[in-house]
Structure formats: C-alpha cells, structure tokens
Amino acid sequence: MFGWTGKILKVDLTSGAAHREDIPEDILLGSLGGRGLGVRLMRDFYGLDPFHPDMPLIFAVGPLCGTSSPTSARMSAVSRSPLTGTIYDSSCGGLFAHKLKAAGLDALMITGKSDRPAYLKVTGEESSVDDASSLWGLDTLDTMTALMEHGSVAAIGPAGENGVLFANIMVNAANSVGRGGLGAVMGAKNLKAVVVDGGAKTLIADEEVFKKGREDVMRLFKASPIIFGELGISEFGTPALVDLMKQRRMTPTANFSKTYFEAASDYAGPALKRTYQAKKEGCFGCPIRCKKVDSCGKALPEYESASHFGALNNNSDIHSIVKSNELCNALGMDTISMASTIAAYGEAKGRFFAPDEIIELVKKTALREGGGDDLALGSARVCAVLGVPQLSMSVKGLELPAYDPRGAYGMALAYATSNRGGCHLRAYPIANEILRKPVATDRFSFSGKARIIKIAEDTNAVADSLLTCKFAILAASLEEYAHILTGVTGVEYSAQSLLKIGERIVKEERRFNCDNGFSAKDDMLPKRFFTEAGTSGDGIEIPPIDESRFIEELKKYYKMRGLNANGCFEQ
Amino acid sequence: MRDQIEKYTDKLLKDGLAMPGSIRFYALDDELIVSKDDDWKPVFEAVLEELSVVGLLLAEPTLPFADNLIARSSDSDTRIYPKDSEVKTFLHDIPFIRRSALGEAGELAKAIATILRERKGLIIEGVGFVATGTVTLEQAYITYSSIFHATFIKYLLELLEHGWQLPGEQEALERFKNDWSQPYDVEKLAFRDGPLTARSEIIEEICAVGRYTVESGLVDSFFGNISLFDDGIIYISQTGASLDELEGLIDPVPMDNSSTYGITASSELPVHRRIYETSNYSTIVHGHPKFSVIMSMLCEKRAACEIADCGKDCPETRFINGVPIVSGEIGAGGIAKTVPPVVKEHGRALVYGHGLFCAGTNDFKDAFSGMVQVETLCRKRYFEMLAANL
C-alpha cells in the first residue's frame, strides 16, 4: 500500500504473545489512522472499565507519517479514560510516531496485564515483552535514557505507576499523550514503556501531487501571522497567547472566579524568552518548531500550563511555573489537570497556594503522598469529597483549559459537546473567535456557533486521524491536506470527503460514550459560568453566559448531529 | 445568519462585485435560510446536502471577464490558474463549469458539489460565481471577491498577451474602460494633519483611511492593511480585517516585541516594522489596486529569463515611471526583506503580483495619495499598452 503499512501489532501482556495482522483496507481508507483508527478499533470494548486488563491501549499513526508532509509525524494513543470514563484519544509529536511507522506498523494494540513491570520492545518485525523491574519508579527522563539505545521511547513516570487519573504517557522530554490519564491505563497494565525502532519507508503514490500539496501548505504557513509571524508561536511558542488572552479579558484566574490577571505578562511569551533564553525546538519533522526550551535544553511550559500554574492559581512567579511544568513532565502528569485541581483545591480550602506549595503538591500528587493522594483523582472527585462539587471547573470530569468560556461563546459550546470532556482542541473555536482564522466570528454571540462547532469538530477529528498538528489547520485547511493525502496514498480525497470521515469518527465516539451512560446532562458547563460575571474592563464586558441561549444552541447542535434531545441516538 | 446575508449582499453591491438582483445566499443554521427563493434553490439545496458548510453564495459578477477567460480557454481546460500571488496562495486554482455542460438541476447540483468538495469556489459560465463558507458567510464573500480579483487580473493580462479573440470583446472592454476610468478625487477626502500622537485619534484616523481606500474604489475591502507608527508602537490593522470595517480591529504592537497580543496583527506586520525601523516614515497603506498588480507582472525580460517563479524568486528591482517593483512571497522571509529598502528610498513599492505599499512621513495623506498616483499611472499605462499591442 501507499501511505499506510496495512499492519497492526497486537500484544497481550498477560501471556506475552504478540502477532501482526492485516488491517482491512476499507477500515484504513474510512478511518485514515490515528484517532479515527483507534476509535474504530475500540468499538467492541465500550463496556470495560479503563483499568480492566482487557481494555486496549492503542497507539496509531497516520498515512502521512514517514513523509515530509508538514507537521505529520505525530501519534495518537486511544483507550478509555479513567478520569472521564469517556472514550479517549490524545496525540503527540516526537520521534516515536516516525519509528512506529518505520517498524512497519499503522497501529499497536496492547491488552492484558503483565505480572511484573515490563516494557514492550518493537524492532522492525520483531517484538518482545521484557522485564522493567529496575525501571519502575524512575521518572520519564531516566526511563527514556535507560531505553533509548533500543529506539524511540514512550514511557510513564511515577504518576502512571501510581494510578494518578490524569497521568500522561511521555514521548521525549516534553511530548505528552496528555489530559485523560492514559498513563494510568498503561500503569495498570504494569507497562512502563514502549520502545520502537525500524527502517521501513513510507511509500508515496504520486510525488508530484504530494509536492504541490506540500508547497501549498508551506506557503500558507509562511503567510500566517499566528504561525510564522514575528509575534507568532514559532517565535514565542504557545505562550504567545498569554498576552492576547489577558488583553481579551478571558484569562482563567483564581479557579475561574475572575477572567483577568494583571501579572500574566510576568510569565508571558516575551518574559519566558527573556528569562530562560528560550530556544526553538519542535516535534520531529515540524517546520513550525513551537516548542521552546531553556538554555540547558529543558522544556518550557506551553500556554495552557503557564496560564494555569500562573493565573488560575493566582501565581505570578515564573520560576515556580516553569518548575511545576518540568516536574509534571518528569513525573508523567497532565499540566492542565494538575494545575486546575490544585486551584480548585485551593479555592475549596479558602486560599490559593504559594509558589513553593504548588511545587510540593505536584510532587505529592505523583507519589500519592499526603494530600496528593486526593489530588491524584482530579478536581471533580476531590471537590465532591470536600462537599464543594461546584468548584471543579470541568466538563465530564476533564478540567477546562486556559480559555474562559465567558470570553468566547463558541468555546463554551465546544467544551460542552467535546466527546472527551472539557477540551479546547476538539473544535478549537479560539481560531475564529480570537485568532480570526479562517475568518473572525463574534466571540460574544451564539449565533451560528452550533454548526461552526460541528464542522470544526469534524475537521479536527480528521486532523487527529491524519495526525497533522492543529496549529497547521490554523493556516492551511483540509483542502490542502486532502491534496497531500491523495498524493501520498493514491486514493482520491477531498476536503469534503475528509469531513464526512471526521463526522463518522465523532459520531462513533459519541455512541461509545452514550453506551457508557453519557447523555445531555454531561454536556454542561460548571454553574459558575452562568451565574458569575468575569472581570470586565478596558471597554470589554464579560457577563455571565446566558444559560437558556447556551442550551438553545446545544439543542441545535444535537439536531445537526442527528442526536435526540438527550444528546444520544434513538437506536 | 440573516444579518450576515444582509451585510454581505450590501457589500457585494457597494464593492461593485455583483449584479443587483443576482445575489443568492443559502445559509444553514439548524434550518436552511434562503435569500432568494427561485429556480436555483432546489439546485443549491441539493448541493448543501452534499457538503459540510455553513452556507453558499451564488451571484453574477458585474464584469464578463471570467466568462471571457473560459470562452478563450481550450476545450480540455477545467480550471483557471490565477496569476496574482494573493489568490494563488489562498485559492490555488479556480474550477469552472462550461455553459455547454449545464445539465438538468440534479446533474448540475452533483457537478457543483463535486467541485466544492475540493475547492472553496467555482465559476459557472454564463451564470456566476459560487462560493462556500465553512465558518461564516463572510468566507463565501471573500472567496467570491477573490475570484473576481483573480479573473480581472488574469483576463486583462491575457488581452495584452493574446489580443481580442471573442466577438464583442473589444466593445465590452471599451465600456469597462469608460466605467472604470473615473479619476480618484483625493482632495474631497479629509485627512488629519500629523503627527498624530493621541491613541484615540490614531485609531480613528486609521479606520477613516481604511474606509477611503475601499469607498474610492482603489481596493476591494478584504485585501490590504494599514498602520501608523508612534512612540515605539505600531498601530496596525488585524489579520483578515476588512479595510472599510477597522473599528475595534487595530492592534497596538510594541516595536520591541515586549508583548505578543499583536499576534492577531496583519501578516504583513514584518514589512511595516522593517519600514519603520529603517526609515523616517510614520504611516503605511497597503492594498491590491488591480492595475498596479497587473503592471507589476509585466516584465520585458520575461521571454529571455530562466526564473520560473517570478513572484518568488526574481532578485531584480524593476521600475515603472520611477515606482520600484520587487518580488517576494507573502509573510515571513519574503517581502519583509525586499520591500523596506525600496520604500525607504522611494516611499512606495509595488510587489510582483501582489499589491502596493505606500508610506507617508507625518500623516496618511501622502501615503494615500501615493497609492492613488500609482494606480492611476498603472491604469493609464495599461490602456496605452493595450492600444499599442492591438
């Protein structure tokens, strides 16, 4: 095949057995890869607990991986989230995706539970499950160092081993399979790491068509102020958004009780660049290089991490923000959920924590020591235990990222409809509501937003399945990527045919969730956003969201998706 | 949705892009909203069922240039390839359906949907332009405007190169020449005298000058950007902002990059910045006046030159009546290098296939007048060359 390898490696950790299978061509053509393929393979496992040994943990790449398609060397991990209970996928960059494809695989499906700490080694056609007892307890960096001679490593840290519900799988120092706790799923299988290597090449069907598509994408990247502009993410990383969100008065502050943090500039893109002599680094094969590292090569925080360890915790101390981020990466935890859980805990306790205390809480959470044992369950469970469930700023149990929904109503709707819980990336309406791409929309209006969110969800499902970066879609579109995909695979795709695939993926996810008891009651924002105003000023009013208008638009969304009033399917 | 339909119908008419009575919007909220219920409705209802978009626009352009391009093309052609860099970057190519291929409604809907699965817009010969919006109806308006812009430039270049080929073509162009040759009257426009230093005054003036560029017919509203430099701050229009609707869309960008909230500023910010860094100018107007774009693409050395992509790779600075012409791609690494040196020396620069930058020292009057002068000159030169060639 061109593009795809057509192969999946299935590994049962209980028995140690592994075998390669062909993936039916119609599944690959109809799901593309990554998230789409993973979700398709999860179809028969909806009733299982995330920590059940039979629950699969799937790593999948896309048809563009292994080519020079811009931003396409990414991987998705798919399973069921222990934090949210929803189906879950998360994508990340790093060399791992490239090496998995080079091992001749489109996907790796891991089931079972090893009777001792183990790591899975895949080298070309060979694979083995090896003892990792000596690695258990190590942080992600030390684990990678120990295994890197065998290939590219995806590993969990102590957080994953200890069942922190928002534990990450880390690839390289700072590429994370984040948010939903798939690191804990991996830990429950006693699987410390997966190491992959190989030398197979991805075959391209039509080099000329591919080259033209690639040139079109690169031209659009260069013309994009968000990507390659002087103030864009290539230059300052995603913390370029700190100043923008401050100016738009939608910085989640003090556990979302306010929307403006005067001191945000203290840890914004320019401050990080100046303080840490930030240098550019990028995911493997990415021309944008939005990741930033300090002069020693340590990863600096992304926008979400900086803002949530900062404003959300009433903290302007840049060093504690950088240290907390570094610890989360090393211990293998999601920064957004960690920072948000600490903020909710702080509000529940009547005070937000000091910089040093935040750092200590991060460590204790990963090790599940002291109060950290509660925090390891995420904000929804902690707040429920403390009798203040309303202080968890989450949807479906997933903590909300650093865009206050009172400042962007499409974002409000997208948080609610997201199949994996309170996530900004399922639809990323910040693109049109704030960044003006592909065109601007009125951020304080719900008008037309249901369809915008529906189309954006479908688009991003495609991006996650082709495994292109979401930032690429801020400049280019599916039109150009369809061209690239056609060139690589030799199969005729168009933007609209891709959107149909995206629509099916989102539908399949919702079906999985509905089968697990999710419904309209779960597509709801925390009450605070409907009852409390944000922080108005500078001529910008941040009122509470009109709940009835929100629900009206949510109902339109259901209708467009072919769902009933309860957000599910009739059959 | 209805307010968007009203707004962009009005803009298409005010910009002179669409024939009155020909504009049809088909917008999807949870139900279909149609601006004109006629024989086209079932066709576009069927098209919408095939696509995941928020809406469609169908309108007849005020000029026959796109139809003429199709009529002049060879039978096997199915697309028009724009020559200007802006449309080339964002639309790539423009597919068309020939008049002779128009079948019954169902077939036509299928043909339109097939094309729109791949591209944002198309031309139906003898009918008009069709454009989609995936986020808002504004996208449909922008795509329509881009097709108009691209076919205008390409057709007039074709005439220079290949002459009359169609019956009635010459007469149509004469009518166009008379309609489009009215002088721009700068004197009746009110400009604030500089230097401007109060933030509110600066922003008001930028908005006013933006409106002038569109209302005077110099540029279409969507293309272009405008800025003023004062006290270490560049006040510049945001990316994707229409020049005639800049209220609330001016980003104050610190020259020292101490803040990044200008991330939403125009993609041409690096060009503006370099000009301010290297010269004494304090205002810049950038737009895509059509005859300036056309004349920027005429090069007497073309036949003997080995460079394939002139807009990207030509290293030379050429001149038209003392106005420098340079090359370079949009955004980082391209025109940010080639434009500032020539603007520093000449106060203006034409960019191959792209548009015009004009700078002023104190206020916007000089910059705006510069744009008018260059476009007037280019229009005059174009018709002189056409007369000489034919």
Side-chain angles (χ1 to χ4, degrees):
Chain A
M1 288 181 90
F2 294 106
W4 296 280
T5 67
K7 301 286 181 192
I8 181 171
L9 176 66
K10 292 186 174 178
V11 179
D12 177 6
L13 292 172
T14 306
S15 65
H19 67 281
R20 286 186 180 229
E21 283 181 14
D22 291 335
I23 306 173
E25 192 171 317
D26 62 317
I27 289 183
L28 288 174
L29 266 58
S31 69
L32 301 176
R35 172 178 163 188
L37 179 57
V39 167
R40 173 65 183 79
L41 295 171
M42 284 287 292
R43 187 179 281 179
D44 299 327
F45 299 92
Y46 68 88
L48 287 179
D49 184 89
F51 291 146
H52 191 285
D54 291 343
M55 174 57 72
L57 175 61
I58 298 164
F59 296 89
V61 294
L64 306 183
C65 183
T67 73
S68 60
S69 169
T71 78
S72 300
R74 297 179 65 82
M75 168 194 78
S76 269
V78 185
S79 188
R80 187 178 177 195
S81 165
L83 183 69
T84 65
T86 62
I87 193 158
Y88 216 89
D89 75 282
S90 178
S91 82
C92 73
L95 190 59
F96 188 91
H98 186 76
K99 290 293 185 185
L100 185 65
K101 188 79 173 277
L105 295 170
D106 290 323
L108 169 62
M109 185 175 190
I110 302 166
T111 53
K113 179 177 180 178
S114 172
D115 57 4
R116 58 195 159 81
Y119 73 95
L120 171 64
K121 187 165 72 176
V122 181
T123 311
E125 295 282 322
E126 304 296 318
S127 65
S128 60
V129 179
D130 296 333
D131 182 49
S133 299
S134 64
L135 303 175
W136 207 251
L138 293 186
D139 70 24
T140 58
L141 292 171
D142 287 343
T143 306
M144 287 176 204
T145 303
L147 295 175
M148 62 193 294
E149 64 180 296
H150 303 300
S152 183
V153 185
I156 59 169
E161 297 169 11
N162 295 328
V164 174
L165 295 186
F166 46 89
N168 286 353
I169 302 166
M170 299 300 294
V171 176
N172 303 341
N175 293 107
S176 55
V177 171
R179 310 273 11 235
L182 299 196
V185 173
M186 194 157 148
K189 295 182 179 304
N190 265 336
L191 183 63
K192 179 68 178 174
V194 179
V195 195
V196 290
D197 203 3
K201 304 276 185 215
T202 301
L203 302 175
I204 296 176
D206 188 330
E207 288 281 359
E208 278 306 305
V209 172
F210 171 69
K211 187 177 164 215
K212 167 76 169 55
R214 190 181 182 284
E215 283 172 358
D216 287 343
V217 167
M218 287 306 298
R219 199 179 297 121
L220 287 162
F221 281 4
K222 285 178 189 166
S224 164
I226 316 300
I227 291 183
F228 278 132
E230 296 192 342
L231 304 173
I233 59 173
S234 181
E235 200 57 41
F236 287 97
T238 53
L241 296 173
V242 172
D243 284 327
L244 184 65
M245 293 304 144
K246 178 185 172 186
Q247 197 274 338
R248 300 294 194 269
R249 291 195 165 253
M250 55 182 291
T251 301
T253 303
N255 198 33
F256 288 87
S257 62
K258 299 172 188 168
T259 61
Y260 184 80
F261 191 56
E262 178 61 37
S265 300
D266 291 357
Y267 55 79
L272 281 164
K273 189 172 185 177
R274 189 175 57 245
T275 309
Y276 291 94
Q277 287 89 51
K279 293 183 292 187
K280 289 184 185 182
E281 197 174 274
C283 296
F284 178 73
C286 177
I288 302 171
R289 293 163 61 79
C290 72
K291 288 195 176 298
K292 299 291 165 267
V293 296
D294 68 11
S295 53
C296 303
K298 281 187 183 168
L300 293 169
E302 301 276 355
Y303 164 65
E304 312 290 339
S305 317
S307 189
H308 269 10
F309 278 118
L312 198 72
N313 279 284
N314 256 356
N315 174 28
S316 61
D317 178 60
I318 190 170
H319 301 299
S320 70
I321 292 168
V322 170
K323 184 67 185 172
S324 299
N325 178 71
E326 185 188 322
L327 276 171
C328 280
N329 287 341
L331 298 168
M333 285 190 298
D334 184 69
T335 51
I336 298 174
S337 284
M338 181 74 266
S340 189
T341 301
I342 293 173
Y345 188 56
E347 187 174 9
K349 292 287 183 186
R351 73 172 183 91
F352 291 99
F353 295 100
D356 289 349
E357 291 177 303
I358 292 172
I359 292 169
E360 280 308 304
L361 284 172
V362 171
K363 289 180 194 166
K364 285 179 177 173
T365 300
L367 302 174
R368 302 197 72 154
E369 291 174 348
D373 194 39
D374 290 335
L375 297 185
L377 303 176
S379 70
R381 289 173 176 84
V382 173
C383 290
V385 166
L386 295 174
V388 283
Q390 73 279 10
L391 295 187
S392 169
M393 294 295 112
S394 60
V395 173
K396 301 184 183 77
L398 186 70
E399 289 75 15
L400 299 179
Y403 307 98
D404 195 290
R406 287 164 292 198
Y409 292 0
M411 190 70 260
L413 190 63
Y415 281 149
T417 59
S418 160
N419 283 334
R420 70 173 196 175
C423 168
H424 56 304
L425 291 172
R426 296 284 100 167
Y428 204 61
I430 294 303
N432 56 75
E433 294 189 311
I434 302 296
L435 298 173
R436 306 180 56 78
K437 293 298 170 188
V439 285
T441 60
D442 181 354
R443 66 183 173 122
F444 294 115
S445 167
F446 278 111
S447 176
K449 292 291 170 70
R451 188 164 295 276
I452 291 172
I453 296 306
K454 191 250 174 209
I455 294 174
E457 285 177 344
D458 296 345
T459 301
N460 285 5
V462 172
D464 287 335
S465 304
L466 288 178
L467 285 161
T468 58
C469 177
K470 305 293 195 315
F471 295 133
I473 305 296
L474 284 176
S477 68
L478 293 188
E479 187 177 327
E480 290 79 27
Y481 272 101
H483 211 70
I484 288 181
L485 181 62
T486 298
V488 170
T489 63
V491 180
E492 200 68 36
Y493 284 98
S494 67
Q496 289 291 325
S497 70
L498 288 176
L499 279 173
K500 289 282 178 203
I501 291 173
E503 186 177 45
R504 280 203 302 273
I505 294 167
V506 174
K507 209 167 186 174
E508 179 129 17
E509 291 171 340
R510 185 153 279 259
R511 191 177 293 283
F512 186 101
N513 288 345
C514 288
D515 287 345
N516 280 312
F518 285 86
S519 64
K521 70 182 186 313
D522 303 294
D523 295 337
M524 188 44 71
L525 295 176
K527 211 68 183 166
R528 166 167 278 168
F529 299 121
F530 300 117
T531 57
E532 298 175 25
T535 317
S536 302
D538 295 333
I540 302 171
E541 283 294 314
I542 310 286
I545 295 169
D546 179 340
E547 187 169 3
S548 62
R549 187 65 187 86
F550 170 85
I551 289 171
E552 184 189 334
E553 205 63 17
L554 185 61
K555 284 180 179 167
K556 285 185 183 179
Y557 171 88
Y558 289 159
K559 187 176 169 187
M560 289 166 195
R561 282 256 176 243
L563 304 172
N564 61 25
N566 200 29
C568 288
F569 302 91
E570 287 302 337
Q571 296 297 321
Chain B
M1 282 294 195
R2 290 188 192 282
D3 55 343
Q4 283 190 42
I5 290 173
E6 198 175 319
K7 176 178 175 179
Y8 292 107
T9 299
D10 192 42
K11 273 181 85 91
L12 285 164
L13 293 173
K14 264 172 66 180
D15 289 357
L17 298 177
M19 296 294 281
S22 76
I23 302 167
R24 296 164 179 85
F25 277 103
Y26 306 92
L28 278 171
D29 195 7
D30 55 336
E31 290 174 345
L32 178 66
I33 302 168
V34 176
S35 68
K36 192 172 182 182
D37 191 351
D38 60 10
D39 291 349
W40 285 106
K41 184 184 166 193
V43 175
F44 283 93
E45 267 183 328
V47 173
L48 278 171
E49 278 183 19
E50 297 292 316
L51 304 176
S52 190
V53 296
V54 298
L56 287 162
L57 162 64
L58 166 69
E60 182 188 351
T62 47
L63 294 170
F65 295 172
D67 278 357
N68 288 357
L69 281 171
I70 295 170
R72 292 162 69 104
S73 65
S74 67
D75 290 346
S76 59
D77 288 346
T78 58
R79 284 158 200 262
I80 290 170
Y81 293 91
K83 292 192 170 177
D84 63 296
S85 61
E86 187 86 4
V87 179
K88 198 167 125 188
T89 297
F90 295 102
L91 289 188
H92 313 304
D93 54 51
I94 306 166
F96 58 81
I97 298 174
R98 288 183 194 277
R99 198 191 313 259
S100 56
L102 294 179
E104 53 87 26
E107 278 179 25
L108 180 58
K110 270 187 199 161
I112 294 170
T114 300
I115 290 172
L116 292 179
R117 281 194 195 100
E118 186 203 356
R119 289 291 187 241
K120 299 179 185 81
L122 75 145
I123 303 165
I124 306 176
E125 188 184 11
V127 175
F129 302 164
V130 181
T132 59
T134 51
V135 176
T136 64
L137 294 183
E138 187 189 16
Q139 279 175 297
Y141 160 78
I142 292 166
T143 297
Y144 181 98
S145 171
S146 299
I147 296 173
F148 190 97
H149 186 83
T151 51
F152 184 112
I153 287 160
K154 177 146 178 143
Y155 176 65
L156 293 192
L157 283 168
E158 289 258 328
L159 280 187
L160 272 186
E161 202 174 342
H162 301 297
W164 313 118
Q165 293 181 354
L166 305 171
E169 205 172 12
Q170 187 170 2
E171 294 74 19
L173 197 83
E174 273 304 315
R175 283 196 297 277
F176 157 75
K177 184 181 167 187
N178 293 333
D179 291 347
W180 283 63
S181 295
Q182 304 305 315
Y184 302 106
D185 190 357
V186 180
E187 292 308 316
K188 71 179 179 191
L189 301 173
F191 292 92
R192 283 181 164 93
D193 290 330
L196 304 176
T197 53
R199 178 175 287 216
S200 60
E201 200 176 33
I202 288 169
I203 289 173
E204 279 175 24
E205 184 67 352
I206 290 175
C207 297
V209 176
R211 267 196 310 279
Y212 294 164
T213 61
V214 180
E215 288 170 0
S216 64
L218 265 176
V219 301
D220 297 332
S221 67
F222 184 67
F223 301 118
N225 40 73
I226 185 166
S227 75
L228 185 147
F229 177 59
D230 176 61
D231 196 23
I233 306 274
I234 302 170
Y235 297 85
I236 185 167
S237 52
Q238 290 186 354
T239 180
S242 291
L243 282 172
D244 55 347
E245 293 180 79
L246 292 178
E247 284 76 10
L249 302 177
I250 308 299
D251 278 341
V253 180
M255 196 73 154
D256 62 1
N257 280 350
S258 56
S259 155
T260 53
Y261 64 74
I263 191 173
T264 50
S266 162
S267 58
E268 311 289 19
L269 172 64
V271 183
H272 291 241
R273 183 195 296 275
R274 292 291 103 73
I275 290 171
Y276 294 134
E277 277 174 352
T278 57
S279 72
N280 292 322
Y281 291 114
S282 63
T283 61
I284 297 168
V285 180
H286 168 57
H288 305 176
K290 294 183 180 70
F291 286 95
S292 301
V293 176
I294 291 168
M295 294 309 292
S296 74
M297 297 164 81
L298 298 175
C299 175
E300 56 195 20
K301 295 180 186 171
R302 183 72 203 100
C305 184
E306 290 181 353
I307 293 171
D309 191 342
C310 310
K312 185 181 167 196
D313 298 326
C314 179
E316 288 196 28
T317 301
R318 299 176 290 122
F319 288 89
I320 174 169
N321 279 39
V323 180
I325 305 170
V326 295
S327 290
E329 285 193 309
I330 304 168
I335 54 178
K337 285 183 184 163
T338 56
V339 167
V342 293
V343 169
K344 181 185 178 187
E345 194 175 341
H346 301 276
R348 55 195 70 173
L350 255 172
V351 180
Y352 182 101
H354 177 70
L356 180 61
F357 287 86
C358 289
T361 43
N362 265 333
D363 49 43
F364 279 108
K365 187 163 187 182
D366 287 349
F368 188 87
S369 301
M371 183 169 274
V372 168
Q373 283 165 15
V374 176
E375 178 64 356
T376 304
L377 163 76
C378 288
R379 190 170 63 187
K380 185 165 171 282
R381 284 290 299 273
Y382 174 81
F383 286 116
E384 285 170 0
M385 286 180 73
L386 189 65
N389 281 13
L390 301 176

